[in-house]
Amino acid sequence: MPKNNSMKSTLYTLSILAVFAFFMNMDASAQCRRFTQKNCLPELAPFINNGQINTTSLFEGDSASLVMTFYSLLDYRLLVCSHPVLGENVHFKVRDMSGTLLYDSQGSGKIFYDFSVASTQDLRIDVIVPEQKDNLSETTPSGCASIVLGFRE
């Protein structure tokens, strides 16, 4: 009988931890959304946000990818902004689906890319957070990184 109680206790503990992790993730996501709305969306002007906010929490040394569809006859502003704790060297690359590099923001000092496409197509956006050489902390910093899309006709 004690073994059964131990198993129930373990399942109960795991259930509580799963619920806690779920709510922590929701809170982090909400914080990233607030960060994006306050710090990134104003940078889209004069473009109009397409209504989507793609955001995640990244650590230094991480990267994230997202595939988005772009339609012909529109001008776009692709904006990638990140929390200052991730450093100044966060950059992004835009590739077509065959892997051809269309744009790399590294070294440009710009957090956006203005462009249009000749025909409707999917593009992959890679956000890269390099490791910071001057980080003396024992913990790796994490912060929000957001991909925001604006358009105009």
Side-chain angles (χ1 to χ4, degrees), residues 42-102:
E43 299 292 325
L44 273 181
F47 292 78
I48 302 164
N49 180 244
N50 72 345
Q52 293 182 344
I53 296 176
N54 302 287
T55 186
T56 189
S57 184
L58 294 175
F59 291 91
E60 70 175 55
D62 273 350
S63 64
S65 295
L66 177 68
V67 174
M68 300 177 82
T69 302
F70 297 88
Y71 301 95
S72 61
L73 304 176
L74 294 174
D75 293 323
Y76 289 101
R77 173 167 286 175
L78 178 67
L79 177 82
V80 175
C81 68
S82 59
H83 195 274
V85 73
L86 294 176
E88 296 177 8
N89 296 319
V90 174
H91 61 281
F92 64 99
K93 297 179 180 184
V94 179
R95 298 180 188 272
D96 65 18
M97 295 314 289
S98 67
T100 303
L101 181 65
L102 304 175

Tab-separated table of all heavy atoms in Angstrom, residues 42-102:
chain	number	residue	atom	x	y	z
A	42	PRO	N	5.460	50.772	-32.532
A	42	PRO	CA	5.645	52.147	-33.008
A	42	PRO	C	6.694	52.264	-34.122
A	42	PRO	O	6.623	53.168	-34.941
A	42	PRO	CB	6.094	52.906	-31.754
A	42	PRO	CG	5.524	52.113	-30.614
A	42	PRO	CD	5.605	50.684	-31.064
A	43	GLU	N	7.644	51.332	-34.179
A	43	GLU	CA	8.694	51.364	-35.191
A	43	GLU	C	8.194	50.965	-36.579
A	43	GLU	O	8.909	51.110	-37.562
A	43	GLU	CB	9.854	50.438	-34.785
A	43	GLU	CG	10.527	50.820	-33.493
A	43	GLU	CD	11.285	52.136	-33.605
A	43	GLU	OE1	11.853	52.436	-34.681
A	43	GLU	OE2	11.306	52.882	-32.605
A	44	LEU	N	6.967	50.433	-36.671
A	44	LEU	CA	6.412	50.027	-37.965
A	44	LEU	C	5.991	51.209	-38.832
A	44	LEU	O	5.934	51.094	-40.048
A	44	LEU	CB	5.190	49.126	-37.771
A	44	LEU	CG	5.440	47.646	-37.617
A	44	LEU	CD1	4.129	46.908	-37.447
A	44	LEU	CD2	6.232	47.069	-38.764
A	45	ALA	N	5.656	52.320	-38.218
A	45	ALA	CA	5.130	53.476	-38.964
A	45	ALA	C	6.062	53.842	-40.104
A	45	ALA	O	7.281	53.797	-39.941
A	45	ALA	CB	4.949	54.651	-38.021
A	46	PRO	N	5.531	54.113	-41.268
A	46	PRO	CA	4.146	54.344	-41.665
A	46	PRO	C	3.417	53.081	-42.140
A	46	PRO	O	2.350	53.172	-42.727
A	46	PRO	CB	4.294	55.330	-42.822
A	46	PRO	CG	5.553	54.902	-43.491
A	46	PRO	CD	6.460	54.455	-42.358
A	47	PHE	N	3.981	51.915	-41.907
A	47	PHE	CA	3.346	50.665	-42.310
A	47	PHE	C	2.270	50.273	-41.297
A	47	PHE	O	2.322	50.675	-40.129
A	47	PHE	CB	4.386	49.545	-42.419
A	47	PHE	CG	5.363	49.741	-43.552
A	47	PHE	CD1	6.415	50.631	-43.438
A	47	PHE	CD2	5.218	49.035	-44.731
A	47	PHE	CE1	7.317	50.818	-44.476
A	47	PHE	CE2	6.113	49.206	-45.770
A	47	PHE	CZ	7.161	50.108	-45.649
A	48	ILE	N	1.307	49.459	-41.731
A	48	ILE	CA	0.199	49.006	-40.892
A	48	ILE	C	0.475	47.578	-40.452
A	48	ILE	O	0.767	46.711	-41.289
A	48	ILE	CB	-1.132	49.059	-41.670
A	48	ILE	CG1	-1.406	50.473	-42.156
A	48	ILE	CG2	-2.277	48.522	-40.830
A	48	ILE	CD1	-2.470	50.548	-43.237
A	49	ASN	N	0.376	47.323	-39.164
A	49	ASN	CA	0.588	45.972	-38.654
A	49	ASN	C	-0.451	45.021	-39.239
A	49	ASN	O	-1.620	45.362	-39.347
A	49	ASN	CB	0.517	45.966	-37.124
A	49	ASN	CG	0.725	44.588	-36.527
A	49	ASN	OD1	-0.163	44.042	-35.907
A	49	ASN	ND2	1.889	44.018	-36.717
A	50	ASN	N	-0.023	43.820	-39.587
A	50	ASN	CA	-0.941	42.834	-40.164
A	50	ASN	C	-1.784	42.141	-39.098
A	50	ASN	O	-2.566	41.260	-39.418
A	50	ASN	CB	-0.178	41.799	-40.991
A	50	ASN	CG	0.639	40.833	-40.149
A	50	ASN	OD1	0.882	41.055	-38.974
A	50	ASN	ND2	1.069	39.756	-40.770
A	51	GLY	N	-1.635	42.537	-37.852
A	51	GLY	CA	-2.434	41.962	-36.772
A	51	GLY	C	-1.744	40.835	-36.038
A	51	GLY	O	-2.217	40.400	-34.997
A	52	GLN	N	-0.640	40.362	-36.558
A	52	GLN	CA	0.080	39.277	-35.901
A	52	GLN	C	1.278	39.813	-35.148
A	52	GLN	O	1.981	40.698	-35.635
A	52	GLN	CB	0.566	38.245	-36.921
A	52	GLN	CG	-0.521	37.477	-37.594
A	52	GLN	CD	0.051	36.438	-38.554
A	52	GLN	OE1	1.206	36.479	-38.933
A	52	GLN	NE2	-0.778	35.500	-38.940
A	53	ILE	N	1.491	39.248	-33.975
A	53	ILE	CA	2.688	39.523	-33.207
A	53	ILE	C	3.308	38.164	-32.903
A	53	ILE	O	2.693	37.322	-32.259
A	53	ILE	CB	2.376	40.280	-31.902
A	53	ILE	CG1	1.802	41.655	-32.221
A	53	ILE	CG2	3.622	40.398	-31.044
A	53	ILE	CD1	1.375	42.446	-30.998
A	54	ASN	N	4.495	37.943	-33.434
A	54	ASN	CA	5.202	36.684	-33.233
A	54	ASN	C	6.349	36.953	-32.276
A	54	ASN	O	7.293	37.665	-32.618
A	54	ASN	CB	5.733	36.158	-34.567
A	54	ASN	CG	4.619	35.969	-35.566
A	54	ASN	OD1	3.835	35.055	-35.442
A	54	ASN	ND2	4.529	36.867	-36.536
A	55	THR	N	6.253	36.404	-31.084
A	55	THR	CA	7.243	36.702	-30.065
A	55	THR	C	7.609	35.444	-29.298
A	55	THR	O	6.807	34.516	-29.175
A	55	THR	CB	6.719	37.807	-29.118
A	55	THR	OG1	7.746	38.191	-28.224
A	55	THR	CG2	5.501	37.368	-28.357
A	56	THR	N	8.838	35.425	-28.820
A	56	THR	CA	9.313	34.310	-28.016
A	56	THR	C	10.381	34.825	-27.067
A	56	THR	O	10.915	35.914	-27.242
A	56	THR	CB	9.874	33.176	-28.907
A	56	THR	OG1	10.140	32.036	-28.104
A	56	THR	CG2	11.147	33.605	-29.620
A	57	SER	N	10.674	34.032	-26.083
A	57	SER	CA	11.741	34.353	-25.147
A	57	SER	C	12.973	33.548	-25.560
A	57	SER	O	12.890	32.336	-25.740
A	57	SER	CB	11.316	34.003	-23.725
A	57	SER	OG	12.298	34.379	-22.807
A	58	LEU	N	14.095	34.237	-25.759
A	58	LEU	CA	15.335	33.586	-26.185
A	58	LEU	C	16.456	33.865	-25.201
A	58	LEU	O	16.461	34.888	-24.520
A	58	LEU	CB	15.754	34.088	-27.572
A	58	LEU	CG	14.836	33.744	-28.744
A	58	LEU	CD1	15.340	34.428	-30.014
A	58	LEU	CD2	14.748	32.250	-28.946
A	59	PHE	N	17.414	32.957	-25.169
A	59	PHE	CA	18.636	33.119	-24.401
A	59	PHE	C	19.759	33.512	-25.348
A	59	PHE	O	19.671	33.264	-26.553
A	59	PHE	CB	19.019	31.804	-23.710
A	59	PHE	CG	18.079	31.408	-22.613
A	59	PHE	CD1	16.979	30.598	-22.880
A	59	PHE	CD2	18.281	31.834	-21.316
A	59	PHE	CE1	16.109	30.218	-21.875
A	59	PHE	CE2	17.416	31.467	-20.296
A	59	PHE	CZ	16.333	30.660	-20.577
A	60	GLU	N	20.818	34.095	-24.813
A	60	GLU	CA	21.955	34.381	-25.675
A	60	GLU	C	22.483	33.051	-26.224
A	60	GLU	O	22.462	32.023	-25.544
A	60	GLU	CB	23.037	35.179	-24.959
A	60	GLU	CG	23.812	34.454	-23.903
A	60	GLU	CD	24.938	35.301	-23.333
A	60	GLU	OE1	24.660	36.412	-22.861
A	60	GLU	OE2	26.081	34.829	-23.363
A	61	GLY	N	22.863	33.063	-27.484
A	61	GLY	CA	23.299	31.847	-28.161
A	61	GLY	C	22.162	31.098	-28.846
A	61	GLY	O	22.400	30.141	-29.571
A	62	ASP	N	20.912	31.533	-28.629
A	62	ASP	CA	19.741	30.890	-29.238
A	62	ASP	C	19.438	31.495	-30.608
A	62	ASP	O	19.910	32.580	-30.950
A	62	ASP	CB	18.485	31.117	-28.383
A	62	ASP	CG	18.306	30.091	-27.289
A	62	ASP	OD1	19.028	29.082	-27.285
A	62	ASP	OD2	17.426	30.305	-26.433
A	63	SER	N	18.590	30.796	-31.328
A	63	SER	CA	18.019	31.336	-32.558
A	63	SER	C	16.600	30.788	-32.689
A	63	SER	O	16.253	29.796	-32.054
A	63	SER	CB	18.861	30.960	-33.780
A	63	SER	OG	18.857	29.566	-33.966
A	64	ALA	N	15.811	31.452	-33.495
A	64	ALA	CA	14.431	31.015	-33.743
A	64	ALA	C	14.109	31.298	-35.195
A	64	ALA	O	14.633	32.244	-35.789
A	64	ALA	CB	13.463	31.751	-32.826
A	65	SER	N	13.254	30.463	-35.789
A	65	SER	CA	12.860	30.620	-37.188
A	65	SER	C	11.347	30.668	-37.296
A	65	SER	O	10.638	30.051	-36.503
A	65	SER	CB	13.385	29.455	-38.031
A	65	SER	OG	14.775	29.455	-38.064
A	66	LEU	N	10.893	31.385	-38.306
A	66	LEU	CA	9.467	31.509	-38.565
A	66	LEU	C	9.267	31.615	-40.073
A	66	LEU	O	9.998	32.350	-40.741
A	66	LEU	CB	8.918	32.763	-37.868
A	66	LEU	CG	7.452	33.097	-38.083
A	66	LEU	CD1	6.555	32.058	-37.418
A	66	LEU	CD2	7.144	34.471	-37.524
A	67	VAL	N	8.298	30.881	-40.601
A	67	VAL	CA	7.951	30.985	-42.010
A	67	VAL	C	6.687	31.835	-42.117
A	67	VAL	O	5.710	31.595	-41.411
A	67	VAL	CB	7.721	29.588	-42.640
A	67	VAL	CG1	7.213	29.716	-44.070
A	67	VAL	CG2	9.003	28.764	-42.591
A	68	MET	N	6.739	32.839	-42.994
A	68	MET	CA	5.608	33.736	-43.192
A	68	MET	C	5.314	33.843	-44.684
A	68	MET	O	6.224	33.736	-45.507
A	68	MET	CB	5.922	35.130	-42.627
A	68	MET	CG	6.226	35.141	-41.140
A	68	MET	SD	6.665	36.783	-40.531
A	68	MET	CE	5.033	37.472	-40.302
A	69	THR	N	4.056	34.090	-44.999
A	69	THR	CA	3.635	34.261	-46.386
A	69	THR	C	3.577	35.742	-46.724
A	69	THR	O	3.014	36.539	-45.966
A	69	THR	CB	2.256	33.612	-46.618
A	69	THR	OG1	2.335	32.223	-46.284
A	69	THR	CG2	1.822	33.757	-48.062
A	70	PHE	N	4.145	36.094	-47.877
A	70	PHE	CA	4.151	37.474	-48.364
A	70	PHE	C	3.460	37.498	-49.721
A	70	PHE	O	3.706	36.647	-50.570
A	70	PHE	CB	5.588	37.991	-48.470
A	70	PHE	CG	6.271	38.050	-47.137
A	70	PHE	CD1	6.951	36.947	-46.637
A	70	PHE	CD2	6.218	39.199	-46.370
A	70	PHE	CE1	7.568	36.989	-45.405
A	70	PHE	CE2	6.832	39.254	-45.129
A	70	PHE	CZ	7.507	38.148	-44.649
A	71	TYR	N	2.605	38.499	-49.924
A	71	TYR	CA	1.788	38.599	-51.130
A	71	TYR	C	2.322	39.691	-52.047
A	71	TYR	O	2.788	40.738	-51.580
A	71	TYR	CB	0.331	38.883	-50.750
A	71	TYR	CG	-0.249	37.804	-49.870
A	71	TYR	CD1	-0.256	37.940	-48.481
A	71	TYR	CD2	-0.747	36.637	-50.424
A	71	TYR	CE1	-0.762	36.936	-47.672
A	71	TYR	CE2	-1.257	35.623	-49.622
A	71	TYR	CZ	-1.257	35.781	-48.247
A	71	TYR	OH	-1.748	34.781	-47.452
A	72	SER	N	2.199	39.449	-53.350
A	72	SER	CA	2.638	40.446	-54.320
A	72	SER	C	1.742	41.688	-54.230
A	72	SER	O	0.663	41.647	-53.635
A	72	SER	CB	2.600	39.859	-55.734
A	72	SER	OG	1.287	39.477	-56.068
A	73	LEU	N	2.206	42.762	-54.812
A	73	LEU	CA	1.501	44.044	-54.874
A	73	LEU	C	1.456	44.791	-53.536
A	73	LEU	O	0.762	45.791	-53.413
A	73	LEU	CB	0.071	43.883	-55.412
A	73	LEU	CG	-0.050	43.208	-56.778
A	73	LEU	CD1	-1.519	43.036	-57.148
A	73	LEU	CD2	0.695	43.996	-57.849
A	74	LEU	N	2.165	44.317	-52.538
A	74	LEU	CA	2.238	45.009	-51.253
A	74	LEU	C	3.693	45.336	-50.930
A	74	LEU	O	4.606	44.600	-51.304
A	74	LEU	CB	1.672	44.147	-50.122
A	74	LEU	CG	0.188	43.818	-50.157
A	74	LEU	CD1	-0.161	42.847	-49.039
A	74	LEU	CD2	-0.646	45.082	-50.029
A	75	ASP	N	3.896	46.435	-50.236
A	75	ASP	CA	5.206	46.762	-49.686
A	75	ASP	C	5.194	46.323	-48.226
A	75	ASP	O	4.183	46.509	-47.528
A	75	ASP	CB	5.480	48.264	-49.765
A	75	ASP	CG	5.612	48.752	-51.192
A	75	ASP	OD1	6.168	48.014	-52.031
A	75	ASP	OD2	5.149	49.880	-51.468
A	76	TYR	N	6.296	45.761	-47.764
A	76	TYR	CA	6.369	45.232	-46.409
A	76	TYR	C	7.491	45.880	-45.609
A	76	TYR	O	8.514	46.273	-46.160
A	76	TYR	CB	6.641	43.721	-46.439
A	76	TYR	CG	5.484	42.905	-46.917
A	76	TYR	CD1	5.438	42.426	-48.213
A	76	TYR	CD2	4.430	42.588	-46.066
A	76	TYR	CE1	4.374	41.660	-48.658
A	76	TYR	CE2	3.364	41.825	-46.498
A	76	TYR	CZ	3.348	41.361	-47.792
A	76	TYR	OH	2.297	40.611	-48.224
A	77	ARG	N	7.267	45.943	-44.308
A	77	ARG	CA	8.323	46.225	-43.349
A	77	ARG	C	8.340	45.057	-42.380
A	77	ARG	O	7.361	44.811	-41.666
A	77	ARG	CB	8.102	47.524	-42.595
A	77	ARG	CG	9.139	47.720	-41.462
A	77	ARG	CD	9.169	49.108	-40.897
A	77	ARG	NE	9.831	49.969	-41.892
A	77	ARG	CZ	9.948	51.283	-41.752
A	77	ARG	NH1	9.464	51.889	-40.695
A	77	ARG	NH2	10.546	51.998	-42.695
A	78	LEU	N	9.445	44.336	-42.377
A	78	LEU	CA	9.677	43.240	-41.452
A	78	LEU	C	10.546	43.794	-40.338
A	78	LEU	O	11.646	44.286	-40.599
A	78	LEU	CB	10.369	42.085	-42.170
A	78	LEU	CG	10.715	40.879	-41.326
A	78	LEU	CD1	9.448	40.180	-40.854
A	78	LEU	CD2	11.567	39.914	-42.132
A	79	LEU	N	10.034	43.763	-39.131
A	79	LEU	CA	10.707	44.366	-37.989
A	79	LEU	C	11.042	43.285	-36.981
A	79	LEU	O	10.176	42.477	-36.629
A	79	LEU	CB	9.785	45.409	-37.356
A	79	LEU	CG	10.280	46.108	-36.109
A	79	LEU	CD1	11.198	47.251	-36.489
A	79	LEU	CD2	9.105	46.642	-35.322
A	80	VAL	N	12.287	43.246	-36.554
A	80	VAL	CA	12.707	42.313	-35.510
A	80	VAL	C	13.283	43.150	-34.379
A	80	VAL	O	14.272	43.861	-34.557
A	80	VAL	CB	13.755	41.303	-36.023
A	80	VAL	CG1	14.255	40.423	-34.890
A	80	VAL	CG2	13.159	40.446	-37.140
A	81	CYS	N	12.624	43.089	-33.233
A	81	CYS	CA	13.150	43.835	-32.093
A	81	CYS	C	13.319	42.879	-30.917
A	81	CYS	O	12.653	41.846	-30.833
A	81	CYS	CB	12.284	45.039	-31.756
A	81	CYS	SG	10.664	44.661	-31.113
A	82	SER	N	14.220	43.244	-30.045
A	82	SER	CA	14.528	42.356	-28.922
A	82	SER	C	14.789	43.171	-27.660
A	82	SER	O	15.144	44.346	-27.719
A	82	SER	CB	15.748	41.499	-29.251
A	82	SER	OG	16.863	42.313	-29.519
A	83	HIS	N	14.608	42.508	-26.556
A	83	HIS	CA	14.839	43.129	-25.259
A	83	HIS	C	16.328	43.477	-25.134
A	83	HIS	O	17.185	42.690	-25.543
A	83	HIS	CB	14.405	42.166	-24.151
A	83	HIS	CG	14.269	42.823	-22.837
A	83	HIS	ND1	15.331	42.995	-21.989
A	83	HIS	CD2	13.201	43.394	-22.227
A	83	HIS	CE1	14.927	43.623	-20.905
A	83	HIS	NE2	13.639	43.876	-21.023
A	84	PRO	N	16.655	44.628	-24.578
A	84	PRO	CA	18.058	45.062	-24.471
A	84	PRO	C	18.975	44.070	-23.754
A	84	PRO	O	20.175	44.038	-24.043
A	84	PRO	CB	17.972	46.379	-23.689
A	84	PRO	CG	16.593	46.886	-23.936
A	84	PRO	CD	15.733	45.670	-24.093
A	85	VAL	N	18.432	43.241	-22.867
A	85	VAL	CA	19.281	42.297	-22.146
A	85	VAL	C	19.943	41.290	-23.102
A	85	VAL	O	20.982	40.722	-22.783
A	85	VAL	CB	18.482	41.567	-21.028
A	85	VAL	CG1	17.523	40.546	-21.618
A	85	VAL	CG2	19.413	40.897	-20.033
A	86	LEU	N	19.372	41.109	-24.303
A	86	LEU	CA	19.941	40.183	-25.285
A	86	LEU	C	21.131	40.780	-26.030
A	86	LEU	O	21.796	40.098	-26.797
A	86	LEU	CB	18.871	39.737	-26.274
A	86	LEU	CG	17.747	38.895	-25.678
A	86	LEU	CD1	16.690	38.592	-26.736
A	86	LEU	CD2	18.274	37.613	-25.053
A	87	GLY	N	21.394	42.055	-25.820
A	87	GLY	CA	22.545	42.696	-26.446
A	87	GLY	C	22.178	43.415	-27.733
A	87	GLY	O	21.070	43.310	-28.243
A	88	GLU	N	23.155	44.135	-28.251
A	88	GLU	CA	22.941	44.953	-29.447
A	88	GLU	C	23.151	44.190	-30.746
A	88	GLU	O	22.857	44.707	-31.812
A	88	GLU	CB	23.884	46.160	-29.415
A	88	GLU	CG	23.609	47.100	-28.258
A	88	GLU	CD	24.605	48.248	-28.212
A	88	GLU	OE1	25.405	48.403	-29.159
A	88	GLU	OE2	24.569	48.990	-27.228
A	89	ASN	N	23.678	42.985	-30.676
A	89	ASN	CA	24.034	42.262	-31.891
A	89	ASN	C	22.996	41.252	-32.356
A	89	ASN	O	23.294	40.406	-33.199
A	89	ASN	CB	25.387	41.572	-31.712
A	89	ASN	CG	26.504	42.587	-31.522
A	89	ASN	OD1	26.521	43.617	-32.189
A	89	ASN	ND2	27.398	42.308	-30.603
A	90	VAL	N	21.794	41.315	-31.802
A	90	VAL	CA	20.719	40.449	-32.284
A	90	VAL	C	20.462	40.833	-33.742
A	90	VAL	O	20.367	42.014	-34.068
A	90	VAL	CB	19.432	40.619	-31.446
A	90	VAL	CG1	18.290	39.818	-32.054
A	90	VAL	CG2	19.679	40.194	-30.009
A	91	HIS	N	20.418	39.848	-34.611
A	91	HIS	CA	20.183	40.136	-36.024
A	91	HIS	C	19.263	39.087	-36.629
A	91	HIS	O	18.920	38.099	-35.978
A	91	HIS	CB	21.502	40.237	-36.795
A	91	HIS	CG	22.322	38.989	-36.781
A	91	HIS	ND1	23.105	38.613	-35.718
A	91	HIS	CD2	22.475	38.022	-37.706
A	91	HIS	CE1	23.713	37.481	-35.983
A	91	HIS	NE2	23.342	37.082	-37.180
A	92	PHE	N	18.844	39.336	-37.871
A	92	PHE	CA	17.934	38.416	-38.535
A	92	PHE	C	18.319	38.237	-39.993
A	92	PHE	O	18.969	39.089	-40.593
A	92	PHE	CB	16.479	38.873	-38.404
A	92	PHE	CG	16.159	40.175	-39.075
A	92	PHE	CD1	15.555	40.195	-40.329
A	92	PHE	CD2	16.425	41.385	-38.455
A	92	PHE	CE1	15.244	41.387	-40.949
A	92	PHE	CE2	16.117	42.585	-39.063
A	92	PHE	CZ	15.518	42.585	-40.317
A	93	LYS	N	17.921	37.091	-40.520
A	93	LYS	CA	18.157	36.760	-41.923
A	93	LYS	C	16.822	36.397	-42.550
A	93	LYS	O	15.980	35.780	-41.905
A	93	LYS	CB	19.119	35.585	-42.054
A	93	LYS	CG	20.497	35.879	-41.502
A	93	LYS	CD	21.414	34.684	-41.627
A	93	LYS	CE	22.787	35.026	-41.048
A	93	LYS	NZ	23.732	33.930	-41.234
A	94	VAL	N	16.665	36.769	-43.801
A	94	VAL	CA	15.469	36.422	-44.564
A	94	VAL	C	15.926	35.546	-45.720
A	94	VAL	O	16.827	35.924	-46.478
A	94	VAL	CB	14.751	37.687	-45.095
A	94	VAL	CG1	13.526	37.297	-45.909
A	94	VAL	CG2	14.376	38.612	-43.943
A	95	ARG	N	15.292	34.381	-45.833
A	95	ARG	CA	15.628	33.428	-46.896
A	95	ARG	C	14.365	32.980	-47.612
A	95	ARG	O	13.294	32.908	-46.998
A	95	ARG	CB	16.304	32.187	-46.321
A	95	ARG	CG	17.617	32.459	-45.619
A	95	ARG	CD	18.210	31.149	-45.074
A	95	ARG	NE	19.357	31.397	-44.248
A	95	ARG	CZ	20.617	31.486	-44.701
A	95	ARG	NH1	20.847	31.328	-45.977
A	95	ARG	NH2	21.599	31.724	-43.871
A	96	ASP	N	14.514	32.650	-48.900
A	96	ASP	CA	13.388	32.028	-49.581
A	96	ASP	C	13.368	30.545	-49.203
A	96	ASP	O	14.246	30.067	-48.479
A	96	ASP	CB	13.432	32.267	-51.095
A	96	ASP	CG	14.610	31.611	-51.794
A	96	ASP	OD1	15.244	30.686	-51.233
A	96	ASP	OD2	14.906	32.022	-52.935
A	97	MET	N	12.377	29.825	-49.675
A	97	MET	CA	12.207	28.435	-49.243
A	97	MET	C	13.248	27.484	-49.831
A	97	MET	O	13.389	26.365	-49.382
A	97	MET	CB	10.784	27.941	-49.542
A	97	MET	CG	9.716	28.690	-48.729
A	97	MET	SD	10.078	28.897	-46.964
A	97	MET	CE	9.888	27.232	-46.396
A	98	SER	N	14.031	27.951	-50.803
A	98	SER	CA	15.132	27.125	-51.305
A	98	SER	C	16.422	27.395	-50.523
A	98	SER	O	17.441	26.778	-50.779
A	98	SER	CB	15.345	27.367	-52.805
A	98	SER	OG	15.809	28.687	-53.021
A	99	GLY	N	16.355	28.344	-49.565
A	99	GLY	CA	17.508	28.634	-48.719
A	99	GLY	C	18.346	29.813	-49.186
A	99	GLY	O	19.333	30.161	-48.540
A	100	THR	N	17.977	30.440	-50.279
A	100	THR	CA	18.725	31.586	-50.781
A	100	THR	C	18.574	32.777	-49.836
A	100	THR	O	17.460	33.157	-49.480
A	100	THR	CB	18.225	31.988	-52.190
A	100	THR	OG1	18.351	30.857	-53.050
A	100	THR	CG2	19.022	33.157	-52.744
A	101	LEU	N	19.701	33.338	-49.430
A	101	LEU	CA	19.694	34.487	-48.525
A	101	LEU	C	19.253	35.734	-49.287
A	101	LEU	O	19.855	36.115	-50.290
A	101	LEU	CB	21.087	34.707	-47.928
A	101	LEU	CG	21.230	35.852	-46.944
A	101	LEU	CD1	20.399	35.589	-45.688
A	101	LEU	CD2	22.694	36.067	-46.581
A	102	LEU	N	18.188	36.375	-48.806
A	102	LEU	CA	17.670	37.595	-49.412
A	102	LEU	C	18.106	38.845	-48.656
A	102	LEU	O	18.247	39.921	-49.242
A	102	LEU	CB	16.144	37.549	-49.482
A	102	LEU	CG	15.546	36.345	-50.212
A	102	LEU	CD1	14.031	36.349	-50.098
A	102	LEU	CD2	15.993	36.324	-51.661
